[in-house]
Amino acid sequence: AQSVTQLDSQVPVFEEAPVELRCNYSSSVSVYLFWYVQYPNQGLQLLLKYLSGSTLVESINGFEAEFNKSQTSFHLRKPSVHISDTAEYFCAVKTSYDKVIFGPGTSLSVIP
Amino acid sequence: KAGVTQTPRYLIKTRGQQVTLSCSPISGHRSVSWYQQTPGQGLQFLFEYFSETQRNKGNFPGRFSGRQFSNSRSEMNVSTLELGDSALYLCASSLGGRGRSPLHFGNGTRLTVT
């Protein structure tokens, strides 16, 4: 069975500073990996995904994540955060035909 | 294209009652998944339906059930409500198939059981 670990439950960071949100997964088969963001009182929105090919994937709002198969990681990074990035971030893993498993989430707080 | 629509947004029920939540997926999406989100347990998978058939199921008691209609719309039902069922219930749709299609979430139904 698959599982996802997000080691940091809360990450405070100053505005315009870089940030990394860590995600590690466990699976015995090939996986698809996702990052989702959740703003207060809303559902989850897809931030970016790794399906195959290039191990570095980017989102339209400046986030990027790198798939590292040997370390079974899919860390999320942004070189310069904005106040509007304050939200809950979820890493997720899926295999073919199986359910999507989510990590416990990381609360990112951007400090002005 | 319209997103995933969940109704109602908020619901208050009394312990012992039952409740039905509704989800309309994105047009063309054949898979609908349901999740329960609580501060203590995070996002817990309830079940997934694909083409009217339950394809995956989480570890919830039989009080939690669901179904999918021929137009891909889905409902979930919780019978004999307990205080611990208070949560945000999220529905997500995807194209289905082999799993490369990501989930698209609705804004959820906030259920409060008193």
Side-chain angles (χ1 to χ4, degrees):
Chain A
Q2 291 72 243
S3 67
V4 180
T5 303
Q6 291 181 249
L7 293 174
D8 306 303
S9 60
Q10 296 184 32
V11 174
V13 61
F14 286 103
E15 191 175 15
E16 297 184 3
V19 69
E20 178 180 81
L21 307 183
R22 296 180 291 171
C23 172
N24 288 89
Y25 69 93
S26 172
S27 177
S28 59
V29 298
S30 297
V31 297
Y32 305 121
L33 296 162
F34 308 89
W35 274 100
Y36 286 83
V37 59
Q38 185 178 33
Y39 300 102
N41 297 317
Q42 294 186 24
L44 279 70
Q45 300 174 28
L46 179 67
L47 196 57
L48 43 75
K49 61 188 177 186
Y50 170 79
L51 302 178
S52 64
S54 173
T55 57
L56 184 65
V57 291
E58 299 176 355
S59 72
I60 58 174
N61 56 356
F63 283 95
E64 65 178 30
E66 185 161 19
F67 169 56
N68 188 317
K69 188 175 182 179
S70 63
Q71 297 186 7
T72 59
S73 67
F74 190 54
H75 301 332
L76 181 69
R77 303 184 185 94
K78 189 171 186 180
S80 176
V81 295
H82 190 266
I83 294 291
S84 60
D85 293 325
T86 294
E88 190 85 13
Y89 291 80
F90 294 92
C91 181
V93 62
K94 189 185 193 308
T95 61
S96 297
Y97 298 118
D98 206 348
K99 57 187 178 287
V100 178
I101 300 298
F102 287 86
T106 296
S107 178
L108 174 63
S109 298
V110 180
I111 305 164
Chain B
K1 188 181 275 191
V4 178
T5 303
Q6 291 187 246
T7 56
R9 282 299 308 274
Y10 302 93
L11 208 49
I12 300 175
K13 290 288 188 178
T14 303
R15 192 170 48 185
Q17 289 185 314
Q18 74 165 15
V19 67
T20 298
L21 311 182
S22 180
C23 173
S24 293
I26 291 172
S27 177
H29 284 192
R30 297 168 64 190
S31 170
V32 173
S33 299
W34 289 88
Y35 288 83
Q36 180 195 66
Q37 185 178 28
T38 58
Q41 299 297 317
L43 281 156
Q44 300 289 310
F45 174 78
L46 281 155
F47 27 67
E48 179 200 5
Y49 287 86
F50 179 77
S51 293
E52 301 180 67
T53 301
Q54 188 178 84
R55 183 159 71 173
N56 287 294
K57 189 178 188 302
N59 296 321
F60 277 80
R63 300 186 297 107
F64 291 82
S65 63
R67 59 177 177 170
Q68 186 181 32
F69 302 96
S70 59
N71 61 359
S72 293
R73 191 176 69 85
S74 177
E75 289 181 347
M76 69 162 281
N77 183 276
V78 188
S79 62
T80 320
L81 283 166
E82 300 177 359
L83 296 178
D85 297 334
S86 294
L88 179 66
Y89 289 88
L90 292 165
C91 166
S93 73
S94 71
L95 290 171
R98 293 195 62 191
R100 293 171 63 89
S101 171
L103 297 177
H104 297 263
F105 284 84
N107 284 328
T109 293
R110 173 77 61 185
L111 172 64
T112 302
V113 182
T114 62

